[in-house]
Amino acid sequence: MSPRHSSRVPSGSGSSPPSSPTLPDSTDLSSGSDFEDTLRPRGKRGPPRTPSHGRVPKRPRGKEPSVDGGDLGQNTLFEAVRSAKVAIETVVDEWLETYKKDHEKGFLELANFIIRSCGCRGVVTPEMFRDLQNSEIIQQLTEKFEEDSAEYPLAMSSQPWRRFQAGFSELVVAVVRRGRYGVVYDDFLMASTISLLTSLSDSQVRAFRHTSTLAAMKLMTALVDVALDVSLQQDTNRRHFEAERAKGPGHRATGKLEGLLGKRRELREQQEDIENMMNAIFKGVFVHRYRDVVPEIRAICMEELGTWMRSYAASFLTDGYLKYIGWTLHDKQPEVRLQCVRALQGLYGQRDTAARMELFTSRFKTRMVAMVLDKEPNVAVEVVKLLTLMLENAEEALTAEDCQAVYPLVYISSRALASAAGLFLYRRLLDPQQGGDREGDVSPRNGDNRTFFCLLLTFFIESELHEHAAYLVDSLWDHAGPRLRDWETISALLLEESPAEGLGDRQEKALVEILVASVVQAAEGQPPVGRGPAKKPSARERKAQAEERTRLSHCLIPALPQLLAKFSADAEKVAPLLEVLRCLDLGIFCTGRMEKHLELVLGQLQEVVEKHSGPAVLMAASRALHALCHPELALRARGDLVRSRLADQLADKCHQEVTELLQVPCPGPSLDEEEVYSMAATLKRISALFNAHDLTPWQLFEPCARLLQHAVDTGEVPPQVLVPAITCLHFHVLWELSRLPSADVPQEQLQSLKAKTVTVSSLCQSCLCDADAGVREQAFVVLSDLLLVLGPRLPGGGRGALAPLVLVPDVGLQSQLAAFLMDHVFHHPRRCPPLSSPEEDDEGHIEELHQRRVLLAGFCKLLMAEVLELSAASDVFKHYSKFYSDYGDIIKETLNWARRRDRQEWARTLLLSLQQLLTELLLQQGPEVRGAAAFMELRDLARRFSLLFSLHQLRNRPALLGLHRDGIQFAFQEPPGPGTGGAPLNLPFLEVLSEFSPRLLRPDKALLLSYLEKTCQERRWPSPGDAPWPSLVTYRRSLQPPEERGDSLSSRSSAPPPRPPAKRPRTHTPERSSSSPWSGSRPPSPALTSTMLRGGPRAPRDLRSSSVSHPRRGLTR
């Protein structure tokens, strides 16, 4: 880097403005240092100095570098930026004073600041600067890195180093900004800095490339600002010159014209200098580094390129520069794609720049639209925002087909992406003011909310993308919230009766769903289930939420009775409307003097219960009535009155119908359809009310128990009556249990409840054998719930008086529960209607799977609550592999719980599962099972179980040894079967057991091998080494050491054993001693070759290991 001064910074384009360079060939990119010579300042050499060949002393680890060179060891710029105690502008001003006094000293301080920022402990001395080339300087600096660390300031993520990164960029920009009227044009500073950064950016050392690329890009950004300022000055000068020349001869100032011409020449020279510098940085750094192997470097290039285009569109907003962003949209790393998209956002965010990108849009629009499905959610969010900007500022860019790719995202689980898609949807389809100011007010006072809801209903119904309006409302909430909260308009639309202006049935149903979703969103302030975790609102948000809840209560309470009256006969509409009651501030019925509306709501509520028998409507009505009967509500007495009235009617009707049913003689005629429907509807209404209200005072236990007993004895009660009857008995027991005090429980009350629990348990156990699957499933659910509530943990927590209520399942009940699992959970033929569409078939399959998962979860809860013994879990564990896709998460959680509870018992349960499967297989297929597909599935299950022993081998060691010991005993316990050649019937189990052998420690393998020999001797079987049984040989080999296993293999095969692969010699970090593989005092540095991504095939790993074996391997990657 000799001080050879030049009058201008040369460039490949001469004095022309920055043009779009063509993409260099790979051969041109391999050099990487094209501008090293052309950018070096030219001039006379100074007096020759003998370079110091003394070795730079090694600094202590973690301390500042100690180097020869005086004050160069303590770089003031680096310390100032790292400490962040002095303003960057002040630091740069002080450095400029130093530079103006001594150019060389000032530049070396700046150069060493960049070197120190790379994490290098070396410095560039004046002697090195005068006598060495850039490549030689960088070769020496490469040796100054820490040998045991690959970190450098820009790669560190701690808070102090993040501040340093910001300060580093700010200082580089400030150097140009503060020197834009002086040192930038002095023919030394910028030429030397650009030459240094160009050489560093082509180094194999990542730290050099990363830091120098960031510095070069920030330097380019600052130069772009200077070029823009010079361009503006030229325009101003031109206008002044034209204005002065347009004056008459008597008014024209000749001296002023000459001054303007001189200023024009000066500005033109400055513009040429800046353009040459920018061309040098772009071609010397950007063109090489925009496809560097390090994604952070590529992201820096794309980010700064977007900044240049926004700042100086006249020169950079051309197809020659835009193509780099278009190409990099296909980058594999998400952070690079993200910077490309953000750069495009700045360009499409302004109408004037968006209008100049027609060619780019036509070329890369397909890629941008496809990126809405990017696997990285952050990138997809920014892409949707980009398309929204294109929609606003380049209206004709996106076609209807392009927009169709964005619409489904409003239903996606990521709330950020759904919200961005909601804004796009609102701007594209739902904004009633599309022709006017799109950034204007969206409040309801615009008078066009009816149009908005009509457009929203059209999209929701015709798109057929989703059935849940809650996700659509949540996506639009941040952008169309004021419109969605216009409760008056929604109510008016729903209450319209005119056939010409009113809504259709599908539109009414959709609008009711949108109304309910908006009310829930406004009242709770939380996203719907599955769209992110619930957030804790702040005090301000809670206050705003309460105010909004009060406002919507005032708006909807007068309209709710009318809505219920209009849709009381429609189950799909009235059920969501009843859910609105739970979101309202019900105290307003009293404080707002709306008692009349409360009476109307209660009357409609009672009418809904009397009309409907569907579970969804009845459960919604039960919850709404429970909200109106809340103890803290001032007018709760009116709700209690309606509840008592309903309970009286339903109880009298239940007693009457059950009595009539029981009086019918057994051989007599069965009930007709109307009687069955009436009784089933009555019991469904009672069970729905029982779910939220205590109906025990109406004495409904006895008639339901008699009805169920009659069904068990005769089997003549229809299943649609039995299912709600079982539910009523269940709720009756739970309500009585909840009313018991914790201490001093009356014995009569305790004995009565005990008798009822025994009765319910016995009846449900009998119903497990019912002919109807729905009755069996309901009985199983009730039984599992009762056993869980009345399990061994009931007396805990100071409730010792309730110990007599503990329900212990006998052996018969446990067997029935296990058999139920086999019949309903692990053996499920799909029940498909004969005439059903594929969509209905899939929905039915999902519902069935959900129901089966509920049943399995109920059984597993009994295991975890210690109601059932752990050995009962074998009926679940043995299906782990076969039903992994359906129940894998439930079974795995049960496996982990069992392992935490008792590892020994857990291992015995796993063994029992495998033993049961082998026994079933032997009963089905006979002794020859080794070749069966089911036997291979059994081995695969054992392999899956063995993976659970991989972690914590010392903790699992006793359990694993016990598993092998018990497995060996099981394999030899059965006598030989016919056609087995004298082998024990269970001997194939040893092959299953061999799947656990890799988890054994080596001493345990020897111990088990001797135990196997002893077992064979005791039972007088042939020795494992001499036995002709393949299963025994396989298990013995799994326990043998590898060397003995190889001998046994070679004795059985004529082929020689394969030679082990040659081991690569371990690479040790070379020390500076005579043992170093290099003869010189320092290792050779790698050549300065390009490090950018190439399209051609790469060399194999062993051929590319030379850079890894470099002693500074932590920094060359």
Side-chain angles (χ1 to χ4, degrees):
M1 191 181 294
S2 304
R4 293 167 291 182
H5 301 278
S6 64
S7 60
R8 292 287 183 269
V9 179
S11 169
S13 59
S15 60
S16 61
S19 59
S20 56
T22 58
L23 186 65
D25 296 331
S26 58
T27 56
D28 297 328
L29 296 177
S30 61
S31 61
S33 57
D34 306 343
F35 298 89
E36 180 180 332
D37 298 328
T38 58
L39 292 175
R40 185 171 295 110
R42 300 183 177 90
K44 292 185 178 181
R45 290 184 178 272
R49 299 188 181 184
T50 305
S52 174
H53 296 286
R55 184 181 302 175
V56 178
K58 188 174 181 179
R59 67 170 178 178
R61 184 176 301 173
K63 296 183 180 180
E64 295 301 322
S66 175
V67 295
D68 297 334
D71 57 348
L72 290 176
Q74 190 74 15
N75 191 274
T76 56
L77 294 179
F78 182 84
E79 297 301 329
V81 173
R82 188 174 66 169
S83 64
K85 295 180 180 179
V86 184
I88 297 296
E89 299 287 346
T90 305
V91 175
V92 172
D93 288 341
E94 295 177 354
W95 173 81
L96 284 174
E97 294 298 328
T98 304
Y99 175 79
K100 291 175 182 177
K101 296 177 181 178
D102 188 342
H103 284 12
E104 183 179 284
K105 180 180 178 182
F107 169 74
L108 288 178
E109 186 175 359
L110 179 63
N112 286 315
F113 163 72
I114 297 173
I115 300 300
R116 284 290 306 277
S117 300
C118 296
C120 179
R121 60 180 184 173
V123 294
V124 180
T125 62
E127 294 79 8
M128 296 168 60
F129 177 66
R130 298 189 188 101
D131 302 333
L132 300 180
Q133 299 293 326
N134 283 346
S135 58
E136 297 173 337
I137 294 176
I138 294 174
Q139 180 179 355
Q140 292 190 13
L141 294 175
T142 304
E143 304 169 8
K144 306 301 180 182
F145 279 100
E146 290 286 351
E147 296 180 0
D148 56 350
S149 175
E151 293 185 345
Y152 53 95
L154 295 189
M156 298 180 184
S157 58
S158 59
Q159 185 63 29
W161 288 113
R162 285 201 299 268
R163 288 198 304 265
F164 174 83
Q165 296 166 18
F168 175 84
S169 302
E170 184 181 354
L171 186 138
V172 174
V173 173
V175 168
V176 177
R177 187 172 61 246
R178 305 296 287 182
R180 63 194 311 169
Y181 301 113
V183 298
V184 171
Y185 308 103
D186 70 352
D187 300 331
F188 176 79
L189 175 63
M190 298 308 296
S192 302
T193 304
I194 294 173
S195 177
L196 174 65
L197 294 177
T198 303
S199 299
L200 286 173
S201 67
D202 198 49
S203 171
Q204 284 189 338
V205 180
R206 172 178 175 172
F208 281 159
R209 296 200 316 275
H210 191 178
T211 308
S212 60
T213 301
L214 176 61
M217 296 299 101
K218 292 298 180 180
L219 189 66
M220 179 79 164
T221 302
L223 290 174
V224 168
D225 293 337
V226 175
L228 180 61
D229 182 56
V230 172
S231 178
L232 294 176
Q233 292 182 36
Q234 285 180 326
D235 294 339
T236 303
N237 177 270
R238 187 183 306 108
R239 289 196 303 270
H240 289 173
F241 180 81
E242 295 296 336
E244 189 66 27
R245 191 172 59 176
K247 294 179 181 179
H251 301 281
R252 186 182 303 167
T254 306
K256 188 174 182 180
L257 284 175
E258 293 178 356
L260 290 173
L261 286 174
K263 183 66 174 178
R264 175 184 295 186
R265 288 190 295 270
E266 179 184 355
L267 291 174
R268 187 179 296 121
E269 291 179 359
Q270 292 179 359
Q271 185 73 17
E272 291 177 359
D273 289 346
I274 296 298
E275 289 171 355
N276 290 339
M277 296 175 196
M278 292 191 298
N279 278 324
I281 295 176
F282 188 85
K283 294 183 178 180
V285 180
F286 179 89
V287 171
H288 299 270
R289 301 279 71 81
Y290 88 96
R291 52 178 184 168
D292 194 277
V293 294
V294 180
E296 290 85 354
I297 298 178
R298 304 199 299 272
I300 290 172
C301 294
M302 291 300 108
E303 180 182 6
E304 298 303 320
L305 179 59
T307 304
W308 308 337
M309 292 179 176
R310 291 193 304 271
S311 302
Y312 199 5
S315 293
F316 287 95
L317 192 58
T318 62
D319 298 329
Y321 290 97
L322 285 170
K323 65 183 180 183
Y324 295 104
I325 294 182
W327 293 338
T328 318
L329 285 174
H330 298 268
D331 197 278
K332 295 182 179 180
Q333 297 301 321
E335 58 265 31
V336 184
R337 299 195 301 273
L338 183 63
Q339 293 300 334
C340 292
V341 174
R342 286 177 176 171
L344 292 175
Q345 287 177 357
L347 301 178
Y348 282 103
Q350 302 175 6
R351 285 185 177 271
D352 54 345
T353 56
R356 301 170 57 184
M357 300 181 65
E358 294 87 355
L359 183 60
F360 178 86
T361 304
S362 62
R363 173 64 179 83
F364 295 101
K365 183 186 67 173
T366 303
R367 171 58 182 166
M368 290 187 285
V369 173
M371 288 178 68
V372 298
L373 300 178
D374 196 281
K375 63 180 180 179
E376 187 66 27
N378 295 336
V379 178
V381 170
E382 299 300 325
V383 171
V384 175
K385 293 180 180 179
L386 170 62
L387 296 180
T388 305
L389 294 173
M390 294 175 63
L391 188 67
E392 295 176 353
N393 300 317
E395 290 85 353
E396 300 179 357
L398 297 178
T399 63
E401 184 180 357
D402 298 331
C403 297
Q404 289 292 336
V406 184
Y407 295 154
L409 299 180
V410 296
Y411 298 106
I412 205 165
S413 60
S414 171
R415 191 178 190 279
L417 182 55
S419 180
L423 177 60
F424 182 90
L425 173 65
Y426 180 75
R427 291 282 189 260
R428 182 70 173 84
L429 291 180
L430 307 180
D431 190 358
Q433 299 177 334
Q434 289 182 10
D437 183 11
R438 300 191 178 195
E439 300 298 330
D441 189 11
V442 295
S443 61
R445 62 185 174 84
N446 289 329
D448 49 12
N449 274 9
R450 294 175 61 90
T451 305
F452 166 76
F453 283 112
C454 291
L455 294 172
L456 181 60
L457 290 176
T458 302
F459 169 77
F460 184 52
I461 295 173
E462 294 182 357
S463 61
E464 297 181 353
L465 295 173
H466 211 279
E467 296 181 356
H468 302 289
Y471 296 95
L472 177 60
V473 169
D474 182 63
S475 300
L476 296 170
W477 194 255
D478 296 336
H479 319 294
R483 298 191 186 278
L484 291 170
R485 291 192 292 270
D486 188 4
W487 322 113
E488 295 88 349
T489 301
I490 302 179
S491 303
L493 284 171
L494 289 172
L495 293 174
E496 284 181 352
E497 298 291 346
S498 173
E501 300 180 0
L503 304 175
D505 181 69
R506 292 184 65 190
Q507 291 176 318
E508 287 179 344
K509 179 178 178 296
L511 188 55
V512 167
E513 293 180 4
I514 291 173
L515 169 64
V516 176
S518 302
V519 169
V520 173
Q521 187 88 4
E524 299 179 358
Q526 300 293 343
V529 177
R531 183 167 281 182
K535 59 180 181 179
K536 185 177 180 181
S538 61
R540 176 178 295 180
E541 291 174 341
R542 287 195 299 269
K543 182 180 179 181
Q545 219 170 327
E547 293 175 354
E548 186 62 34
R549 189 177 184 186
T550 302
R551 191 181 74 84
L552 72 90
S553 300
H554 280 288
C555 294
L556 291 181
I557 284 177
L560 193 58
Q562 304 176 52
L563 293 172
L564 292 175
K566 181 178 179 180
F567 302 114
S568 60
D570 194 332
E572 292 184 344
K573 299 171 188 173
V574 75
L577 287 174
L578 290 173
E579 297 290 345
V580 172
L581 269 173
R582 299 189 302 114
C583 300
L584 301 180
D585 185 3
L586 301 179
I588 293 179
F589 279 116
C590 179
T591 59
R593 299 184 179 275
M594 296 183 178
E595 294 86 352
K596 181 178 69 173
H597 298 291
L598 177 60
E599 293 291 344
L600 294 174
V601 168
L602 288 172
Q604 293 297 328
L605 192 58
Q606 182 175 353
E607 183 179 348
V608 167
V609 174
E610 293 172 353
K611 281 184 178 179
H612 295 274
S613 60
V617 179
L618 292 177
M619 288 304 302
S622 178
R623 288 191 293 265
L625 185 58
H626 179 268
L628 294 172
C629 296
H630 197 276
E632 297 181 359
L633 195 62
L635 299 176
R636 65 182 179 277
R638 304 191 184 191
D640 293 338
L641 180 61
V642 173
R643 178 176 58 186
S644 300
R645 191 182 303 156
L646 278 173
D648 290 338
Q649 295 175 0
L650 293 173
D652 294 342
K653 194 172 183 180
C654 177
H655 283 282
Q656 179 184 354
E657 292 175 342
V658 171
T659 303
E660 293 177 357
L661 174 65
L662 295 178
Q663 289 177 354
V664 176
C666 292
S670 59
L671 298 175
D672 57 15
E673 293 184 3
E674 292 185 1
E675 293 175 338
V676 171
Y677 176 80
S678 177
M679 183 179 293
T682 301
L683 289 174
K684 288 178 181 178
R685 295 181 182 117
I686 292 175
S687 63
L689 287 177
F690 236 145
N691 191 16
H693 305 270
D694 184 7
L695 302 183
T696 54
W698 281 266
Q699 302 297 325
L700 295 169
F701 183 87
E702 183 181 355
C704 292
R706 291 166 56 197
L707 178 65
L708 214 58
Q709 187 64 51
H710 181 72
V712 171
D713 296 338
T714 63
E716 297 182 354
V717 181
Q720 57 265 39
V721 175
L722 289 180
V723 172
I726 294 173
T727 306
C728 290
L729 292 177
H730 180 215
F731 285 132
H732 191 101
V733 171
L734 294 181
W735 277 112
E736 283 201 9
L737 179 63
S738 66
R739 295 170 58 185
L740 290 180
S742 300
D744 300 331
V745 183
Q747 290 299 317
E748 297 180 359
Q749 190 176 358
L750 200 63
Q751 294 299 327
S752 174
L753 182 56
K754 177 66 175 178
K756 291 178 181 178
T757 57
V758 172
T759 301
V760 175
S761 174
S762 176
L763 290 173
C764 290
Q765 185 175 357
S766 301
C767 289
L768 288 176
C769 303
D770 193 89
D772 185 76
V775 175
R776 295 196 299 270
E777 291 179 0
Q778 185 64 21
F780 179 85
V781 171
V782 171
L783 261 179
S784 59
D785 285 351
L786 282 179
L787 291 173
L788 186 64
V789 174
L790 304 176
R793 299 179 182 178
L794 177 64
R799 297 168 62 91
L802 303 182
L805 296 178
V806 174
L807 197 61
V808 180
D810 55 12
V811 178
L813 179 57
Q814 294 187 34
S815 301
Q816 281 187 283
L817 294 176
F820 178 87
L821 284 184
M822 288 296 303
D823 296 336
H824 291 76
V825 177
F826 297 114
H827 181 70
H828 48 82
R830 293 188 60 181
R831 301 188 292 269
C832 301
L835 298 176
S836 60
S837 62
E839 294 79 7
E840 295 176 353
D841 190 14
D842 292 340
E843 292 178 1
H845 176 64
I846 293 174
E847 290 295 332
E848 289 183 8
L849 177 60
H850 174 70
Q851 181 62 24
R852 294 195 303 269
R853 287 174 60 87
V854 170
L855 299 175
L856 178 60
F859 186 85
C860 293
K861 288 179 183 177
L862 296 179
L863 294 170
M864 296 183 180
E866 302 180 1
V867 176
L868 302 177
E869 296 180 357
L870 189 55
S871 59
S874 61
D875 296 310
V876 177
F877 294 164
K878 64 185 180 182
H879 301 287
Y880 178 58
S881 179
K882 187 175 182 180
F883 292 88
Y884 185 83
S885 60
D886 292 341
Y887 320 118
D889 54 340
I890 300 176
I891 301 177
K892 191 171 184 179
E893 182 62 28
T894 309
L895 281 167
N896 293 333
W897 167 83
R899 179 172 56 185
R900 292 192 301 267
R901 179 177 176 270
D902 188 343
R903 292 179 183 268
Q904 296 274 5
E905 188 65 25
W906 165 66
R908 283 192 287 268
T909 305
L910 296 181
L911 183 66
L912 179 60
S913 304
L914 299 173
Q915 292 171 351
Q916 290 175 350
L917 289 175
L918 181 65
T919 303
E920 295 173 3
L921 188 59
L922 291 172
L923 291 176
Q924 293 174 1
Q925 301 189 9
E928 299 297 330
V929 297
R930 295 183 64 250
F935 185 75
M936 301 308 297
E937 293 178 0
L938 178 59
R939 292 193 61 174
D940 180 68
L941 176 63
R943 189 178 302 111
R944 284 176 175 257
F945 284 163
S946 69
L947 296 177
L948 302 175
F949 292 88
S950 300
L951 300 177
H952 308 293
Q953 287 189 343
L954 293 180
R955 293 184 187 178
N956 296 326
R957 185 181 184 185
L960 194 56
L961 281 173
L963 183 145
H964 277 271
R965 183 182 64 250
D966 296 342
I968 293 173
Q969 293 292 336
F970 173 77
F972 287 104
Q973 71 180 7
E974 291 293 335
T980 59
L985 191 62
N986 294 340
L987 194 65
F989 190 76
L990 290 179
E991 293 190 43
V992 178
L993 204 61
S994 65
E995 302 293 343
F996 294 89
S997 299
R999 312 302 166 193
L1000 289 167
L1001 300 178
R1002 186 158 184 165
D1004 296 339
K1005 289 184 178 181
L1007 183 64
L1008 286 173
L1009 193 59
S1010 63
Y1011 179 77
L1012 181 65
E1013 298 277 358
K1014 181 179 178 182
T1015 303
C1016 291
Q1017 293 176 3
E1018 290 177 353
R1019 299 179 181 268
R1020 297 182 180 180
W1021 300 114
S1023 173
D1026 303 328
W1029 303 324
S1031 299
L1032 183 59
V1033 173
T1034 300
Y1035 183 61
R1036 181 175 181 271
R1037 283 177 49 203
S1038 69
L1039 298 177
Q1040 287 179 330
E1043 56 273 11
E1044 297 183 12
R1045 195 183 309 165
D1047 294 343
S1048 62
L1049 281 174
S1050 61
S1051 63
R1052 294 177 180 272
S1053 175
S1054 59
R1059 296 182 59 186
K1063 296 183 179 179
R1064 175 183 291 184
R1066 184 175 299 175
T1067 304
H1068 298 278
T1069 302
E1071 300 179 357
R1072 296 183 180 274
S1073 61
S1074 58
S1075 60
S1076 174
W1078 295 286
S1079 58
S1081 60
R1082 58 186 183 187
S1085 297
L1088 294 177
T1089 58
S1090 183
T1091 54
M1092 57 192 60
L1093 292 172
R1094 300 190 182 278
R1098 294 188 175 183
R1101 180 63 183 169
D1102 55 346
L1103 297 180
R1104 292 185 288 113
S1105 59
S1106 59
S1107 61
V1108 180
S1109 62
H1110 192 274
R1112 272 62 180 168
R1113 60 188 182 281
L1115 293 168
T1116 55
R1117 58 184 182 276

